[in-house]
């Protein structure tokens, strides 16, 4: 049996998305900057993708910019706003549970003379609004808070934070890589200044990202070169990728509420099954205020990696945290930030579902997981 429970790491490309991309990988290979018809057709494809995204997320087409990844969009948003506004101040606020694309960008800016406050989060992984308010200073130019966490799935009160930020005349960025396609997003209503997301997390292709930049936002370029993307992001466009993320965004945002209900049912059935059948287990993150398809648990006395190997032998793909930290021996910074001690944080398992998953797969997991945990605990020196 092949079961894929790692949709927060990446997703399978949707067939309709692939079909729309194919002509741009084969026949319509013209450079979109060229004036002949082959180039104009490629340019038309880009225009359509931008239109689809703007209408799916409710913003203007000239506020959507294509990048090569969620990572690039995060880098651009943070470095771009920090550098463009450094005369006003050099202080940035973010959280201690951000993805490394945000955290390491902020760390880099610290080496360039910026000061960064890394807000702690509450035990359930939610930012404490009062401490956020307290950290705002005269020289704060940017606040960046992720919409939903990629490990524990906790959803932040983004609209409320955007409001507080704007009352102080500060720019607000949100990394919505895990949120788009899972949470209904209306950019006019949300009122953030910058929003990041990525194609491969929403059944689109890899190597393509979006940065939404609200009109009027003062931001410098990250890449310098040609005049692509209205002179703001140089480099010949990844036309098939752009077509792909455009279609994927449209599909991922259609029927989003029903999809969320479906995933919540799978999630809660799985959480209940795990918690009832496996003793000494901790559910990480908020029990309710979390991504519809996210589960993150810690099994005391064992290593997350050994669970993953055992699951893999049975055809189940899962994760112990984010794909980026799985190569490292350090426990997840997110689990440490919510207060778990090192030895417990090491025993984490993340399952992330998509609408392709079904109850049968959950039932199978629930029949094999208790035995895996029990066997590993029997061999554990920690028990
Ligand atoms: N931000 C979050 C919250 C993510 O989960 C990821 C990917 O795991 C990224 C940023 C980076 O996106 P990409 O893989 O497109 O660079």
């Amino acid at each position: 049996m092949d079961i894929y429970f790692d949709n927060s790491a990446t997703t399978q490309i949707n067939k309709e998305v692939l079909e729309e991309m194919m002509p741009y990988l084969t026949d319509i290979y013209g450079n979109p900057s060229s004036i002949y018809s082959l180039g104009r057709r490629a340019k038309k494809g880009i225009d359509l993708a931008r239109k689809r995204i703007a209408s799916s997320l409710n913003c203007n087409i000239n506020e959507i910019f294509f990048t090569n990844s969620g990572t690039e969009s995060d880098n651009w948003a943070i470095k771009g706003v920090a550098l463009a506004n450094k005369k006003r101040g050099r202080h940035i606020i973010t959280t201690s549970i951000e993805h490394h694309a945000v955290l390491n960008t902020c760390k880099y800016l610290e080496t360039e003379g910026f000061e960064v406050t890394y807000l702690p989060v509450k035990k359930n992984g939610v930012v404490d609004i009062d401490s956020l308010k307290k950290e705002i200073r005269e020289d704060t130019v940017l606040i960046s808070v992720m919409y939903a966490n990629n490990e524990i799935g906790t959803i932040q009160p983004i609209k409320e934070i955007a409001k507080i930020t704007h009352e102080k005349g500060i720019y607000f960025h949100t990394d919505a890589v895990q949120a788009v396609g899972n949470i209904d997003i209306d950019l006019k209503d949300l009122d953030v200044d910058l929003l990041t997301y990525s194609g491969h997390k929403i059944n689109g292709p890899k190597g393509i990202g979006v940065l939404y930049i609200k009109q009027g936002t003062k931001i410098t370029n990250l890449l310098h070169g040609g005049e692509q993307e209205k002179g703001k992001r140089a480099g010949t466009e990844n036309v098939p990728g752009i077509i792909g993320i455009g279609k994927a965004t449209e599909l991922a945002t259609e029927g989003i509420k029903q999809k969320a209900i479906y995933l919540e049912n799978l999630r809660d059935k799985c959480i209940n099954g795990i918690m009832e059948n496996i003793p000494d287990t901790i559910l990480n993150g908020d029990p309710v205020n979390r991504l519809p398809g996210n589960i993150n648990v810690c099994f005391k006395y064992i290593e997350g990696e050994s669970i993953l190997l055992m699951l893999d032998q049975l055809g189940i793909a899962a994760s112990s945290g984010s794909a980026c930290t799985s190569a490292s021996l350090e426990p997840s910074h997110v689990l440490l930030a919510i207060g778990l001690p090192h030895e417990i944080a090491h025993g984490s398992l993340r399952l992330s579902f998509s609408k392709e998953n079904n109850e049968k797969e959950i039932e199978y997991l629930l029949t094999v997981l208790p035995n895996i945990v029990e066997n590993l605990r029997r061999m554990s020196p920690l028990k």
Side-chain angles (χ1 to χ4, degrees):
M1 197 186 273
D2 271 333
I3 300 181
Y4 187 70
F5 284 158
D6 202 14
N7 290 279
S8 280
T10 197
T11 56
Q12 186 178 29
I13 196 160
N14 182 298
K15 289 216 167 50
E16 268 184 74
V17 170
L18 182 62
E19 268 168 30
E20 290 227 5
M21 288 171 66
M22 277 313 272
Y24 295 88
L25 286 159
T26 51
D27 301 337
I28 314 173
Y29 55 84
N31 189 318
S33 300
S34 305
I35 56 164
Y36 42 77
S37 131
L38 197 59
R40 287 203 311 272
R41 285 172 70 197
K43 167 87 170 49
K44 253 185 148 172
I46 296 178
D47 293 344
L48 173 65
R50 223 186 293 276
K51 220 180 196 171
R52 281 173 164 166
I53 293 172
S55 113
S56 301
L57 302 178
N58 195 22
C59 65
N60 302 325
I61 45 172
N62 59 3
E63 296 174 317
I64 294 298
F65 294 87
F66 295 109
T67 67
N68 76 12
S69 58
T71 299
E72 186 191 323
S73 296
D74 282 341
N75 269 262
W76 185 12
I78 296 168
K79 290 179 193 162
V81 168
L83 293 176
N85 297 279
K86 66 178 184 224
K87 286 208 178 99
R88 265 178 55 199
R90 287 177 161 261
H91 180 234
I92 296 166
I93 301 176
T94 187
T95 81
S96 51
I97 61 162
E98 297 296 310
H99 188 272
H100 284 112
V102 168
L103 285 180
N104 288 340
T105 301
C106 288
K107 294 238 161 74
Y108 165 74
L109 285 174
E110 286 182 280
T111 69
E112 292 293 314
F114 288 86
E115 263 186 85
V116 183
T117 301
Y118 301 90
L119 283 177
V121 292
K122 295 185 277 190
K123 251 184 143 55
N124 62 357
V126 178
V127 168
D128 182 6
I129 296 287
D130 286 334
S131 37
L132 170 76
K133 283 182 183 161
K134 278 188 203 126
E135 296 295 347
I136 294 177
R137 313 189 321 208
E138 276 295 304
D139 60 342
T140 309
V141 285
L142 174 70
I143 297 182
S144 180
V145 176
M146 70 197 319
Y147 207 135
N149 185 267
N150 47 303
E151 294 188 41
I152 57 173
T154 312
I155 298 166
Q156 305 294 343
I158 293 302
K159 196 173 164 179
E160 192 183 347
I161 301 175
K163 189 162 177 278
I164 294 166
T165 306
H166 288 152
E167 279 165 7
K168 302 277 181 187
I170 300 166
Y171 285 120
F172 182 58
H173 165 247
T174 187
D175 174 342
V177 168
Q178 297 289 339
V180 171
N182 279 314
I183 299 170
D184 200 7
I185 293 180
D186 177 327
L187 281 167
K188 293 231 154 69
D189 178 58
L190 199 62
D191 199 29
V192 299
D193 301 297
L194 304 115
L195 177 139
T196 290
Y197 76 98
S198 174
H200 73 104
K201 308 284 185 178
I202 56 165
N203 304 99
K206 293 173 178 58
I208 186 78
V210 160
L211 182 62
Y212 159 80
I213 308 177
K214 194 203 278 171
Q215 215 157 3
T217 302
K218 209 171 156 202
I219 183 166
T220 57
N221 290 4
L222 186 66
L223 299 187
H224 299 92
E227 285 302 307
Q228 291 89 354
E229 296 293 281
K230 297 187 286 297
K232 284 187 175 298
R233 198 275 183 182
T236 300
E237 296 88 339
N238 169 5
V239 183
I242 291 172
I243 302 294
I245 199 169
K247 185 66 185 169
T249 307
E250 191 175 77
L251 293 175
T253 50
E254 260 169 26
I256 194 163
K257 294 206 169 100
Q258 291 94 295
K259 191 178 82 177
I261 293 169
Y262 177 76
L263 291 179
E264 279 162 7
N265 277 335
L266 287 186
R267 176 195 73 189
D268 294 342
K269 185 182 166 102
C270 191
I271 290 178
N272 293 338
I274 291 174
M275 300 308 284
E276 278 162 21
N277 295 306
I278 308 179
D280 291 327
T281 302
I282 297 164
L283 175 67
N284 300 315
D286 195 276
V288 182
N289 186 23
R290 71 189 304 139
L291 285 171
N294 169 284
I295 296 179
N296 191 309
V297 286
C298 280
F299 301 109
K300 287 187 188 168
Y301 319 118
I302 53 176
E303 295 277 334
E305 274 66 29
S306 32
I307 310 170
L308 297 187
L309 293 175
M310 301 278 213
L311 286 173
D312 185 40
Q313 282 177 1
L314 298 171
I316 301 174
S319 163
S320 62
S322 69
C324 316
T325 52
S326 61
S328 124
L329 288 177
E330 273 298 297
S332 135
H333 67 286
V334 176
L335 298 182
L336 297 180
I338 59 170
L340 292 183
H342 268 64
E343 66 277 13
I344 292 184
H346 269 299
S348 64
L349 174 70
R350 179 187 71 181
L351 303 165
S352 43
F353 305 138
S354 78
K355 61 182 189 321
E356 310 309 323
N357 293 123
N358 57 48
E359 291 215 2
K360 255 201 169 136
E361 294 175 332
I362 307 287
E363 279 155 20
Y364 178 62
L365 175 83
L366 291 174
T367 57
V368 298
L369 191 57
N371 292 335
I372 291 177
V373 173
E374 200 183 316
N375 288 339
L376 289 172
R377 279 182 177 160
R378 219 177 288 131
M379 293 183 280
S380 168
L382 299 169
K383 179 99 204 223

